């Protein structure tokens, strides 16, 4: 009888990995079913680490230290096994191994996950140890005579100290609940924080901040005493008591240094919120939970661009539509009057082009546990570090026969909704050599089990607009491979099961490449007429080509009000103009923009040829159409608030819009419909009719 076949290098590493996972809890963990995928492996690893985490709750300091040493040793062994795995090659195997690279990648992913969990657990145990030792030293300094007390008193003190620890944890929970209370607006900083991004707010320890928005991701919108606004981390704040001081201020802050296995310092911070640190360590991320249950691929992440949109108006089209002040603050940088032609002057920019989204291919499908409400692409100008423009969204369409294929600009009867228009204009005057267009594919979903809504990124790609010698990239079709993770991560694949690195043969690589998720788009060359039209827009803006003529009307009316009709160019008085005051709102409500497009198209069809050539006549007619269409809708109480990717809300809004447009057309204007007793409108506010260009420009710009 032949001897047993020797294990190959990959099998030996996999066996060693299983042994390490068994050693995590000191016993054999849950067995993975034969043939189970990486999700089952990940679930087993999580269960084992959770068991370790439960052991870490033991109150005895000796047990905690022993458990910490055990975790450090296990992490070292896991890292050594990971290093050995990375050095393996398919040629070293004594016999052919199917899906070699896929098995290797899955094993490496499990080992990295286990190493990270152990590192977090070591960090957690370190904090418990520091907190306990600090309390013990403080108690010893408080009463040095306790050394002469009896053993019974020592036992009672131990019981009291454990009760104090429990009460401290309860107090921490109470403080967290008080801090999260929406009625608590004033907080005090418990440490120094330096802004890491443009939208962050720098503050110092002891500074009082006014909280405007407590976001669920832990980054809150705050305002300091100087009126500056920005994002601040929740863990650096404490609720302010009536006497203006926080409990954390009276505590001594300890320096926390998180280190990797090789001793490299990762992060240093002063923060006494141990409960917040523990919660951040132990809570599973939403995407990680979805990935572990097989609902989404491992490369999916929370949408980066959606979070920026939710942070405020800084990255919305309504912000970039406003005129930009010059450095002297006495004139406008991108709005100049041409007295000869009696209109605004065109402003050429470094980037002025049209992008056509064609399709998205081989996009991974989410699991049955979540329901997809919207598939879309968000795009913006990006230089590798910062977003340089507004974030524009284009919704994709798909067929049930081929859900992995997304398409844009479908053929529909009537006017194509602007949200579905794949033709986008892009303008920018940035001098960055690394500037390009960032595309993020996303889905809006709802979990069937919990009803939780969210926004996920299905991958991203970047098209650089200039070559290394500074020349614009050619206008042609591009097929861009999608990357997983966020735009700030590198080397992450959307779906590791179809890795680009899998396989060594040319034919196998070709087949694998055909399965990769890609975005197909086209850069279109501009005609002379298109250039003239785009040059009338703001210097920085991304939008849909279908409403570009409406934006030009707005810009011309804006030029008349700010440059032509003002008595003095240095006057900062409010301007009574409903269009200037309300038109930017349409940029964030695409169904109202479609209503204005529809009303203008109906009116334009009745014009004679000579009327279409008269720009002043067209401008005055646009004002009438605006007042007879979208302006009354903005003030109507019958129109529900705009909510992204809610089918019922979108349907009810369009029903109200269509009914209003129909009656307005039948009655040759909106006056009769507005005065009808059947309709109700919001309370009149004069500020809604006043345009304050300084306020609009300086709302979210800290430099103004």
């Amino acid at each position: 009888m032949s001897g047993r076949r020797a294990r190959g290098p990959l099998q030996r590493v996999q066996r060693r990995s299983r042994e390490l996972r068994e050693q995590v809890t000191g016993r054999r963990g849950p067995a993975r079913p034969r043939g189970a995928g990486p999700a089952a492996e990940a679930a087993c690893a999580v269960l084992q680490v959770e068991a370790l985490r439960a052991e870490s709750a033991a109150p005895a300091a000796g047990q905690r230290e022993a458990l910490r040493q055990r975790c450090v040793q296990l992490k070292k062994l896991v890292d050594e096994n990971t290093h050995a795995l990375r050095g393996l090659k398919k040629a070293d195997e004594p016999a052919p191994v199917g899906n070699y690279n896929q098995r290797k990648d899955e094993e490496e992913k499990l080992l990295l996950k286990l190493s990270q969990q152990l590192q977090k657990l070591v960090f957690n145990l370190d904090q418990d140890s520091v907190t306990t030792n600090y309390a013990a030293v403080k108690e010893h300094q408080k009463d040095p005579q306790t050394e002469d007390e009896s053993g019974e008193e020592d036992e009672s003190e131990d019981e009291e100290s454990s009760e104090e620890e429990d009460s401290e944890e309860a107090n921490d929970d109470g403080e967290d609940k008080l801090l999260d209370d929406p009625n608590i607006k004033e907080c005090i900083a418990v440490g120094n924080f330096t802004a890491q991004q443009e939208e962050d707010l720098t503050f110092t320890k002891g500074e009082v901040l006014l909280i405007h928005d407590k976001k669920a991701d832990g980054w809150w919108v705050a305002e300091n005493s100087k009126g500056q606004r920005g994002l601040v981390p929740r863990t650096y704040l404490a609720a302010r008591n009536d006497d203006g001081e926080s409990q954390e201020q009276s505590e001594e802050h300890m320096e926390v240094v998180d280190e990797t296995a090789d001793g490299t310092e990762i992060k240093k911070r002063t923060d006494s919120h141990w409960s917040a640190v523990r919660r951040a360590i132990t809570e599973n991320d939403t995407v990680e939970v979805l990935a572990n249950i097989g609902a989404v691929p491992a490369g999916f992440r929370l949408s980066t661009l959606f979070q920026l949109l939710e942070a405020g108006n800084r990255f919305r089209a309504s912000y970039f539509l406003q005129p930009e002040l010059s450095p002297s603050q006495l004139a406008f940088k991108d709005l100049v009057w041409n007295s000869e032609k009696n209109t605004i002057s065109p402003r050429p920019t470094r980037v002025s082009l049209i992008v056509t989204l064609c399709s998205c291919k081989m996009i991974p499908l989410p699991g049955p546990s979540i329901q997809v409400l919207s598939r879309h692409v968000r795009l913006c100008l990006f230089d590798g570090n910062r977003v340089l423009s507004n974030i524009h969204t284009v919704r994709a369409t798909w067929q049930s026969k081929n859900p992995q294929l997304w398409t844009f600009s479908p053929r529909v009867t009537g006017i194509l909704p602007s949200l579905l228009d794949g033709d986008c204009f892009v303008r920018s005057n940035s001098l960055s050599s690394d500037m390009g267009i960032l595309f993020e594919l996303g889905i809006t979903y709802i979990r069937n089990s919990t009803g939780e809504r969210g926004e996920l990124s299905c991958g991203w790609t970047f098209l650089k607009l200039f070559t290394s010698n500074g020349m614009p990239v050619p206008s042609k079709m591009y097929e861009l491979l999608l990357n997983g993770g966020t735009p700030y991560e590198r080397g992450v694949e959307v779906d590791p099961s179809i890795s680009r690195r899998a396989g060594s043969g040319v034919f196998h690589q070709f087949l694998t490449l055909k399965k990769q998720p890609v975005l197909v788009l086209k850069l279109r060359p501009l005609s002379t007429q298109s250039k003239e039209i785009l040059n009338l827009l703001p210097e920085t803006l991304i939008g849909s080509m279908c409403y570009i003529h409406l934006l030009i009307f707005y810009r011309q009316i804006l030029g008349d009000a700010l440059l032509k009709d003002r008595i003095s160019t240095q006057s900062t008085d409010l301007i009574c103009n409903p269009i200037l005051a309300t038109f930017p709102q349409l940029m964030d409500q695409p169904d109202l923009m479609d209503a204005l497009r529809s009303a203008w198209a109906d009116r334009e069809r009745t014009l004679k040829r000579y009327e279409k050539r008269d720009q002043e006549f067209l401008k005055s007619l646009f004002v009438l159409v605006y007042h007879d269409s979208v302006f009354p809708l903005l003030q109507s109480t019958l129109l529900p608030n705009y909510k992204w990717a809610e089918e019922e809300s979108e349907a009810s809004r369009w029903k109200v819009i269509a009914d209003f447009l129909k009656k307005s057309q039948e009655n040759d204007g909106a006056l009769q419909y507005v005065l009808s007793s059947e309709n109700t409108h919001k309370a009149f506010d004069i500020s809604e009719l006043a345009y304050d260009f300084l306020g609009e420009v300086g709302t979210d710009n800290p430099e103004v």
Side-chain angles (χ1 to χ4, degrees), residues 12 75 77-78 160 225 430 440 454 483 541 577 642 652:
R12 289 196 294 269
K75 185 183 182 303
L77 294 175
V78 169
E160 291 175 359
S225 58
S430 174
E440 183 187 70
N483 304 286
L541 189 66
N577 193 311
Y642 181 79
S652 59

Side-chain angles (χ1 to χ4, degrees), residues 85 511 591:
L85 177 66
L511 293 179
D591 52 0

Side-chain angles (χ1 to χ4, degrees), residues 547-566:
Y547 54 66
I548 191 171
H549 58 294
L550 305 180
L551 299 181
I552 293 176
F553 277 133
Y554 172 79
R555 292 276 293 177
Q556 290 174 340
I557 296 173
L558 188 64
D560 290 345
L562 296 181
L563 304 175
K564 176 184 176 182
D565 299 335
R566 270 200 305 168

Side-chain angles (χ1 to χ4, degrees), residues 578-598:
I579 295 182
L580 298 184
T582 60
F583 185 88
Q585 301 177 30
L586 306 186
M587 301 295 290
D588 300 326
Q589 302 182 53
D591 52 0
L592 286 181
M593 184 65 79
D594 294 335
L596 180 58
R597 289 172 54 216
S598 177

